Amino acid sequence: MGRAFVYVILGGGVSAGYAALEFVRRGVSHGELCIISNESVAPYERPALSKGYLLPEGVELVLGTGVKSADVKRKTLLTTTGETISYKFLIIATGARALKLEEFGVNGSDAENVCYLRDISDANRLVNAIQSSPGGNAVVIGGGYIGMECAASLVINKINVTMVFPEAHCMARLLTPKIASYYEEYYKSRGVKFIKGTVLSSFDFDSNGKVTDVTLRDGTKLSVDMVVVGIGIRPNTGLFEGQLTLEKGGIKVNGMFQSSNSSVYAIGDVAAFPVKAFGEKRRLEHVDSARKSAKHAVSSIMEPDKTGEFDYIPFFYSRVFTLSWQFYGDNAGEVVYYGDLSASGSTFGAYWVNKGHVVGAFLEGGTREEYEAIAKTTTLRPAVEDLTELERQGLGFAVAV
Ligand code: FAD
Ligand code: NAD
């Protein structure tokens, strides 16, 4: 049994949805484009987990179906239902999976009150756990994006939160200790407790298999009604290992999102692509690059002569409680702060200056115009000789660029 398509998108997440939209916008005939996803629903906006499906018309959707093997030489995919699907062009949009506690030697991920958050079924499970623990205690494992955003949601839902992570401060991949401290103080003012510099050691379970207590490596024992785990992700590259070149844990692509096999493209979290401004390949785990890489890859496939190399400045953001920040560029080099980092609810930010140029910018509590200004600044990378003067000008520097 088999079917053939001109274009196959493997994966049904954010980048898959945007790639499909772009194919349809440019014009594909019925029966030319197929999406294969092991999720049972059409692509949706993962950040909001909003169920606002991205599905355009005229696309063959093979849902609830995993791909279990791929043969890039034969240009075929074998699905879990035993169907062989062949393509002329393949876009790999398999994203990433949440790392499991078991990978760090702790058992208990399957307990009904232990929650991860990657897809709609995870979100439903988390909502159930919240609803069955009114006024209860939660431990949040991990101080990254999921940990910080879920901790805020739990507090808003009147659950007592203790965050546990191994680093000295939250959001260690992106934020400096000084900026992280601002957010930690704000979280503390909302009742969140932090236990830093340690990791989970084990769980205790009741007779129904629910976690009742969490023991940390430093010996602390916390009684819990629920646990939320956000300890990072791994890109889903397994189907292509040994067939395509990998880099930075993802599938290596060029500025057209083409992999080491010319018929195969990769986009979103799974793709390691050249970021021109940094002169190196990066694998980004954010929705803006998922959307834009999808559009660019489709353009590369459909109009290769009119499509240049992807030119992209990384963009990350988050919104929790009444806080809202945006970051553009690279967090490399010396950091120059501006604004008041001590008061809650204020506007503040930082520039990263590397080799005499502004390469990164962070802003909390900005207006749309101010965010546009820091985005433009990191795109233009102005030269800065005097860091004290940059500090004095603060946000005004970006606004004047
Ligand atoms: P995904 O959206 O993960 O899609 C991958 C798809 O591939 C899934 O449908 C999966 O089921 C499918 N798949 C994988 N393997 C197979 C297989 N073998 N066979 C069939 N199908 C397969 N980023 C931001 O910038 N801002 C935010 O505020 C933000 N919030 C987020 C909130 C949450 C809860 C999460 C989980 C992520 C958030 N992100 C955010 C990150 C952003 O959602 C991801 O960067 C984005 O989803 C990546 O898109 P993707 O298409 O590469 O992967
Ligand atoms: P992350 O990489 O942001 O954070 C992982 C965290 O895990 C680290 O900060 C660390 O504190 C913790 N950790 C690592 N090893 C640990 C261990 N052994 N025990 C306890 N903690 C440990 O990953 P995440 O928070 O799980 O987020 C998953 C993905 O979702 C990421 O790709 C992220 O970019 C994406 N996401 C992005 C946003 C956003 O951009 N606003 C929001 C939600 C999720």
Side-chain angles (χ1 to χ4, degrees):
M1 183 168 100
R3 279 185 283 172
F5 295 90
V6 183
Y7 313 108
V8 170
I9 301 171
L10 168 53
V14 173
S15 61
Y18 277 82
L21 286 172
E22 186 64 16
F23 272 122
V24 170
R25 194 182 70 76
R26 287 169 175 268
V28 284
S29 311
H30 273 262
E32 273 190 343
L33 171 63
C34 166
I35 294 180
I36 313 173
S37 172
N38 53 18
E39 292 192 70
S40 55
V41 293
Y44 52 89
E45 289 282 11
R46 205 161 294 263
L49 279 172
S50 60
K51 300 186 174 67
Y53 296 125
L54 296 168
L55 173 68
E57 301 271 307
V59 181
E60 186 72 25
L61 266 184
V62 181
L63 295 178
T65 306
V67 164
K68 63 178 182 185
S69 66
D71 186 333
V72 300
K73 287 214 177 74
R74 291 204 164 88
K75 300 189 181 186
T76 55
L77 304 172
L78 179 62
T79 71
T80 44
T81 56
E83 186 179 15
T84 298
I85 292 184
S86 60
Y87 59 82
K88 192 163 170 238
F89 294 100
L90 172 66
I91 299 185
I92 303 170
T94 46
R97 64 177 180 81
L99 276 170
K100 289 287 169 86
L101 289 170
E102 282 69 7
E103 293 168 72
F104 295 92
V106 177
N107 290 323
S109 288
D110 292 337
E112 68 176 62
N113 58 344
V114 174
C115 304
Y116 291 80
L117 188 56
R118 184 72 202 176
D119 59 24
I120 276 191
S121 59
D122 296 335
N124 289 336
R125 184 183 168 116
L126 179 58
V127 169
N128 282 339
I130 290 173
Q131 286 170 349
S132 30
S133 321
N137 297 321
V139 166
V140 172
I141 311 283
Y145 287 93
I146 292 287
M148 293 301 280
E149 294 187 2
C150 287
S153 301
L154 291 166
V155 166
I156 288 164
N157 282 283
K158 301 199 173 10
I159 293 186
N160 307 306
V161 177
T162 303
M163 294 192 70
V164 177
F165 49 84
E167 296 90 355
H169 65 82
C170 69
M171 298 287 296
R173 281 203 293 163
L174 178 66
L175 300 184
T176 65
K178 195 167 167 171
I179 300 177
S181 156
Y182 174 91
Y183 291 104
E184 288 180 15
E185 290 307 314
Y186 183 91
Y187 272 56
K188 283 184 203 164
S189 76
R190 304 292 302 248
V192 175
K193 296 190 184 71
F194 287 88
I195 302 180
K196 303 190 269 187
T198 190
V199 293
L200 182 65
S201 165
S202 63
F203 290 136
D204 289 347
F205 302 91
D206 68 12
S207 54
N208 298 318
K210 273 180 87 168
V211 173
T212 56
D213 296 276
V214 168
T215 303
L216 308 182
R217 192 155 312 150
D218 70 0
T220 310
K221 194 163 181 165
L222 303 161
S223 77
V224 293
D225 298 287
M226 61 180 291
V227 177
V228 177
V229 186
I231 53 174
I233 61 167
R234 282 287 174 277
N236 292 317
T237 56
L239 294 170
F240 302 96
E241 276 160 31
Q243 301 195 70
L244 300 176
T245 307
L246 303 184
E247 193 172 317
K248 305 241 154 108
I251 292 168
K252 180 180 172 180
V253 293
N254 61 19
M256 312 291 273
F257 290 96
Q258 198 171 32
S259 74
S260 53
N261 179 297
S262 61
S263 306
V264 180
Y265 292 69
I267 57 178
D269 284 10
V270 81
F273 64 90
V275 179
K276 269 191 188 175
F278 306 162
E280 63 175 35
K281 290 207 162 54
R282 294 274 171 104
R283 201 181 52 69
L284 300 178
E285 301 173 355
H286 293 277
V287 74
D288 186 62
S289 71
R291 293 173 182 152
K292 290 184 179 146
S293 62
K295 237 178 137 189
H296 201 88
V298 173
S299 175
S300 303
I301 292 170
M302 295 186 86
E303 286 190 295
D305 299 336
K306 290 194 189 151
T307 308
E309 304 255 306
F310 192 51
D311 194 2
Y312 180 69
I313 296 295
F315 164 48
F316 318 146
Y317 67 89
S318 186
R319 283 186 291 271
V320 288
F321 297 121
T322 54
L323 304 168
S324 177
W325 58 260
Q326 295 192 6
F327 170 85
Y328 293 86
D330 201 10
N331 57 344
E334 284 189 79
V335 189
V336 175
Y337 299 95
Y338 60 84
D340 182 2
L341 275 104
S342 63
S344 63
S346 56
T347 300
F348 70 88
Y351 298 106
W352 279 258
V353 180
N354 201 14
K355 295 178 188 145
H357 291 264
V358 177
V359 297
F362 177 93
L363 173 60
E364 163 64 43
T367 61
R368 210 185 70 186
E369 292 72 25
E370 288 165 344
Y371 287 126
E372 281 168 7
I374 64 160
K376 187 174 167 206
T377 305
T378 51
T379 306
L380 297 175
R381 298 159 64 89
V384 169
E385 278 165 21
D386 183 350
L387 297 188
T388 320
E389 176 57 16
L390 177 63
E391 187 178 9
R392 196 193 60 74
Q393 290 187 24
L395 190 51
F397 176 86
V399 173
V401 163

